[in-house]
Amino acid sequence: MNFPPHHLYLKPQYMPMPIPWHMMKPDATSLFVELGFGRGEYLLTLSKAFPNALIVGFEVSMTSLLKSAYRLQREQRNNVKMLLFDGVLGLAEFFAPNSVDGVYMNFPVPWPKKKHAKRRVVREDFWHVLARVLKVGGYFELMTDVDWYAEEARENAEKTGVFSIKLEKNPSRRVQTKYEQKWLAEGRDIFLVRVVKDKDYADDYERLFIKGADYMPHALIKKPWKELLGDMKSLEGFNYRPAVDKGYGVREVFYRDREILLRSYTIDKGFFQSFYIWIRPEDKEGEDVFLMKLDPLSSPFRTKSLMSLMRHIKDTVGDKFVVRHNLG
């Protein structure tokens, strides 16, 4: 499998939260974000138009990310970071309030059917994310070739009460995609929704990723190996699902040479992740002392459900056998 150039590709699960973007390019004067950069042509042009800015791009297709990354590498762009992650969730979780200068989204899928309306990026909750992360004076540009989609975006943006909004037909932009240039050359209509944040905004948004990768949840356990193994075997198939979009559990238990791997999962507000919890002996010869921690190769995001799962495992072992922990 090919991997994108490491200086362009960022794995957010290995970062503090919110991500300290200023450390990626300390001399950056602005921070811009593109949601769904596709083939990367706009991302590349944006990085050239704003050489003193840090440009962050989100994409969910590894194929698109790879092609874009090698294009950026050939052009020797050093002011771009790319993430293989959902852009709307990433915008909400990885950026501090009032930190972003501009956000761009070019020709997203409109999802025209009513039953797919919840998949539309421009739904109401998206505008609250923008209101939170944009600086006062910061802006968002949506380009689309669907007139009703542009109108729906404008209407939902108005509901926040913090944006000035402009909807233009066949606009001229400083940076354009090839699709945009072709569409205009053919005399077809495209629409730009441009919003500018005019006032401060605050809400009670509860972050999904409550801690960053610098926090390593763990528990030190002192218990006879056979008893500990029995405890962990009892967890195989365990599921806790209080709601459709929330829960955690243990799928399978593997063990060998006094080490245990728990194949686990969590769901937080519909965000699913699968990972391993590792239990291994500590370096204390002749003593049944074990360390429970997250497997570093799977490195999941630190969420409430993850913490709840690790506390459940600790409780299964029994508090009197837990020497110390940092699980809350």
Side-chain angles (χ1 to χ4, degrees):
M1 179 180 178
N2 293 325
F3 292 94
H6 66 87
H7 67 286
L8 296 171
Y9 179 46
L10 190 68
K11 291 185 176 181
Q13 60 267 43
Y14 292 99
M15 301 297 297
M17 294 291 157
I19 293 176
W21 297 106
H22 61 280
M23 295 178 63
M24 312 289 173
K25 184 175 170 58
D27 61 342
T29 56
S30 305
L31 177 61
F32 297 114
V33 179
E34 184 181 3
L35 306 178
F37 54 75
R39 293 181 296 182
E41 58 188 25
Y42 192 85
L43 199 66
L44 173 60
T45 308
L46 201 62
S47 74
K48 291 179 177 179
F50 299 100
N52 296 320
L54 176 64
I55 316 294
V56 180
F58 287 92
E59 180 54 57
V60 295
S61 165
M62 176 57 90
T63 300
S64 294
L65 189 144
L66 282 170
K67 289 180 179 178
S68 302
Y70 287 118
R71 175 182 289 177
L72 288 162
Q73 186 179 42
R74 287 194 299 270
E75 296 281 348
Q76 299 183 337
R77 306 312 302 166
N78 63 357
N79 64 333
V80 178
K81 294 297 179 184
M82 314 169 80
L83 295 87
L84 188 70
F85 200 83
D86 176 80
V88 177
L89 181 58
L91 196 63
E93 294 291 328
F94 303 153
F95 295 85
N98 306 301
S99 63
V100 179
D101 293 276
V103 179
Y104 301 85
M105 186 166 60
N106 295 298
F107 304 99
V109 178
W111 297 104
K113 294 182 180 180
K114 274 191 176 182
K115 65 179 180 180
H116 294 149
K118 289 185 178 179
R119 299 184 184 181
R120 295 173 194 160
V121 176
V122 297
R123 60 188 184 269
E124 287 186 39
D125 57 333
F126 169 69
W127 299 98
H128 291 281
V129 174
L130 281 175
R132 188 183 318 118
V133 302
L134 284 174
K135 298 176 180 177
V136 173
Y139 61 88
F140 168 69
E141 290 189 359
L142 163 69
M143 187 64 77
T144 180
D145 55 357
V146 182
D147 54 355
W148 63 261
Y149 190 79
E151 183 59 31
E152 182 175 301
R154 184 192 64 77
E155 291 175 358
N156 285 338
E158 281 183 344
K159 294 175 184 177
T160 64
V162 299
F163 296 119
S164 60
I165 306 162
K166 189 175 183 180
L167 199 165
E168 294 182 69
K169 183 177 179 179
N170 301 327
S172 176
R173 291 200 296 172
R174 176 179 178 182
V175 181
Q176 294 180 322
T177 67
K178 287 183 179 179
Y179 176 85
E180 185 177 342
Q181 293 168 357
K182 178 183 177 182
W183 207 254
L184 289 170
E186 293 176 356
R188 304 189 187 189
D189 292 333
I190 58 175
F191 305 89
L192 171 66
V193 180
R194 192 176 197 275
V195 306
V196 178
K197 182 177 173 181
D198 289 333
K199 60 186 74 172
D200 288 326
Y201 175 87
D203 62 8
D204 56 355
Y205 178 71
E206 186 178 359
R207 288 188 178 274
L208 202 63
F209 308 145
I210 56 176
K211 295 180 183 293
D214 48 343
Y215 169 68
M216 295 298 294
H218 66 272
L220 190 66
I221 300 165
K222 187 172 183 179
K223 192 171 191 177
W225 162 247
K226 288 186 178 180
E227 292 183 27
L228 178 61
L229 180 59
D231 291 340
M232 297 303 99
K233 283 183 175 181
S234 74
L235 289 171
E236 190 165 54
F238 164 72
N239 288 285
Y240 176 69
R241 295 292 298 275
V244 174
D245 63 348
K246 179 182 178 181
Y248 52 84
V250 177
R251 302 290 199 198
E252 293 180 275
V253 177
F254 305 95
Y255 59 95
R256 180 181 178 183
D257 299 332
R258 291 167 62 83
E259 292 192 20
I260 303 171
L261 279 176
L262 307 175
R263 187 167 75 86
S264 308
Y265 78 90
T266 56
I267 307 174
D268 295 82
K269 298 180 184 178
F271 177 76
F272 176 88
Q273 51 183 350
S274 180
F275 54 93
Y276 288 92
I277 294 174
W278 183 24
I279 301 175
R280 63 167 177 80
E282 280 287 78
D283 293 329
K284 295 186 178 181
E285 189 174 347
E287 292 188 34
D288 283 328
V289 180
F290 302 88
L291 181 66
M292 176 182 74
K293 65 177 187 176
L294 296 172
D295 172 49
L297 294 180
S298 50
S299 189
F301 290 99
R302 279 56 164 171
T303 66
K304 283 189 174 182
S305 289
L306 182 144
M307 297 305 300
S308 294
L309 173 59
M310 294 195 73
R311 283 193 294 268
H312 180 82
I313 296 170
K314 173 186 72 70
D315 293 342
T316 300
V317 172
D319 284 343
K320 71 177 182 178
F321 298 104
V322 178
V323 179
R324 67 171 185 271
H325 69 88
N326 66 346
L327 305 178

